[in-house]
Amino acid sequence: MKEETLDCLGEACPVPLVKTQKALEKLDVGDVLIVQIDHSCAMKNVPEWAREAGHNVEIEEVDDGEWDVVIEKVK
């Protein structure tokens, strides 16, 4: 299992979502992508998309208005 971090701090939608989709394409099943975001729109869209795509998602608030969206690729 590999773990990668994607820094999307300071970026507004749809940039974090597009970067997340491209990064996940490069990962293998079982790998984990940690997406760092600080935009409320991305905070909604990235986890929603990942869940709909069938991946496991956890959200950790690391600071006020800053989150790590942890996505485990499952397919």
Side-chain angles (χ1 to χ4, degrees):
M1 180 180 96
K2 181 170 62 172
E3 184 176 292
E4 288 194 14
T5 301
L6 180 63
D7 182 358
C8 292
L9 297 174
E11 297 180 346
C13 282
V15 176
L17 180 58
V18 172
K19 284 186 170 183
T20 299
Q21 291 169 331
K22 288 182 178 181
L24 271 177
E25 287 175 7
K26 298 175 185 174
L27 297 179
D28 295 323
V29 171
D31 290 348
V32 173
L33 179 65
I34 301 170
V35 186
Q36 300 172 325
I37 54 178
D38 60 358
H39 192 268
S40 60
C41 177
M43 179 53 210
K44 177 183 180 297
N45 292 342
V46 171
E48 186 176 276
W49 169 81
R51 285 187 182 111
E52 287 177 4
H55 304 297
N56 294 329
V57 179
E58 290 184 26
I59 301 167
E60 300 171 6
E61 187 167 9
V62 293
D63 202 356
D64 187 33
E66 187 176 310
W67 302 272
D68 283 352
V69 179
V70 182
I71 304 169
E72 179 187 357
K73 185 171 182 172
V74 295
K75 61 180 187 173

